[in-house]
Amino acid sequence: MTATRAPAWVRDEVILACDLVRQNGWRWLLQTDPRVAELSSLLQHMPLHPAGVRGPKFRNINGVSRKTADIATNHPDYRGKRTHGGALDREVLQNFLDQPKEMAAAADAIRSGIRSGSFDATAVGWDDDEEVAEAVEGRLLARRHFARERNPRLREKKIRAHLSQHGSLACEACGFDFEATYGPHGARYIECHHILPLHASGQTTTRLDDLMLICANCHRMVHRGKPWLTPEELKRMIRTH
Ligand SMILES: [Zn+2]
Ligand SMILES: [Zn+2]
């Protein structure tokens, strides 16, 4: 027997549903609403759930409309009876209430990425990595972030530019220098971090100025927890501890 139950919604999908509810004045949308059909089709084009696990009802207008009700009835101003909804629905809703501009921009970036097909090309296999799954702005934008900062050509360019300007590859946040510590074995070793926040990183190509060279420890710390640290937050943390 094949699975008929659609896979659970992931953060990216809930972000798009939540953004639609927001645009609708935090009221849910009926199945007959053309915006529900539009979102249903968009969700079916997201490269998140493999075809084999989707089932026949995958993100149909029924399910999408129900999801908007789960979100709308969890809004703090809603006075009626709540539908079920899950912890993720409430969490994403809270993200929208806390950071309305950033989350609306993240939804925009996800939508335009799906429409242009630009997410299809980004490497899969990140889903197992908890730090990616944890990004407030969802998996697709996080995947793109990691793909950009691991682009070998860009990395090489950045390293060369940095070396000719500073003469060493010390971590821009904490000053750790792999070569100074490990000798020739650590020469030219450093990680690239893309500094634009996910919601603002759009379709544009990466400029060298968008990259920061940091050690592996600092890079881990940036991506640990939600939301990811800004370069300023990271540096302040190091200074004050
Ligand atoms: Zn560092
Ligand atoms: Zn990074």
Side-chain angles (χ1 to χ4, degrees):
M1 247 182 71
T2 52
T4 48
R5 209 187 159 81
W9 288 60
V10 302
R11 179 174 285 273
D12 303 64
E13 298 172 299
V14 178
I15 289 173
L16 296 187
C18 198
D19 194 49
L20 182 53
V21 177
R22 176 191 67 82
Q23 289 171 26
N24 199 41
W26 295 110
R27 290 182 313 268
W28 69 80
L29 293 91
L30 300 174
Q31 296 169 32
T32 46
D33 194 307
R35 291 170 297 174
V36 167
E38 195 187 335
L39 178 56
S40 161
S41 146
L42 199 62
L43 293 171
Q44 290 167 356
H45 282 94
M46 282 173 105
L48 284 169
H49 306 284
V53 304
R54 292 186 172 200
K57 295 180 181 167
F58 181 76
R59 306 301 180 252
N60 63 11
I61 51 171
N62 225 322
V64 171
S65 167
R66 197 156 0 115
K67 180 56 75 177
T68 67
D70 291 342
I71 294 166
T73 62
N74 271 293
H75 191 281
D77 294 343
Y78 181 73
R79 292 282 161 255
K81 187 171 155 8
R82 299 206 156 148
T83 63
H84 288 302
L88 182 61
D89 300 337
R90 288 189 289 276
E91 205 181 304
V92 171
L93 171 61
Q94 195 57 51
N95 294 148
F96 268 85
L97 298 176
D98 293 342
Q99 295 195 290
K101 271 215 315 276
E102 290 81 359
M103 292 307 290
D108 265 341
I110 295 170
R111 274 190 298 265
S112 63
I114 301 166
R115 291 195 178 117
S116 69
S118 76
F119 292 129
D120 302 344
T122 30
V124 286
W126 283 102
D127 294 21
D128 298 334
D129 198 325
E130 70 181 86
E131 68 196 23
V132 175
E134 287 296 301
V136 177
E137 298 89 342
R139 271 182 214 174
L140 295 175
L141 297 179
R143 273 184 201 165
R144 183 158 72 191
H145 169 94
F146 287 106
R148 280 177 176 169
E149 58 189 29
R150 288 180 190 189
N151 175 327
R153 274 221 326 269
L154 221 58
R155 191 189 130 80
E156 193 46 43
K157 254 196 192 159
K158 177 73 184 178
I159 286 179
R160 217 174 300 147
H162 192 90
L163 271 176
S164 74
Q165 201 187 340
H166 303 278
S168 87
L169 290 177
C171 171
E172 292 187 58
C174 76
F176 186 86
D177 184 322
F178 283 88
E179 188 171 13
T181 303
Y182 300 105
H185 188 68
R188 290 178 78 82
Y189 186 82
I190 194 76
E191 298 192 0
C192 275
H193 170 61
H194 196 290
I195 60 174
L196 288 186
L198 294 188
H199 65 262
S201 60
Q203 295 294 311
T204 53
T205 46
T206 307
R207 300 167 310 150
L208 288 192
D209 285 348
D210 298 336
L211 297 172
M212 164 188 202
L213 296 178
I214 55 177
C215 72
N217 279 344
C218 285
H219 203 188
R220 275 274 149 184
M221 289 299 110
V222 164
H223 293 298
R224 184 171 196 238
K226 271 185 288 188
W228 292 350
L229 300 178
T230 64
E232 290 68 35
E233 286 167 337
L234 173 68
K235 288 180 196 163
R236 200 179 319 123
M237 215 174 259
I238 295 171
R239 263 203 318 274
T240 55
H241 289 96

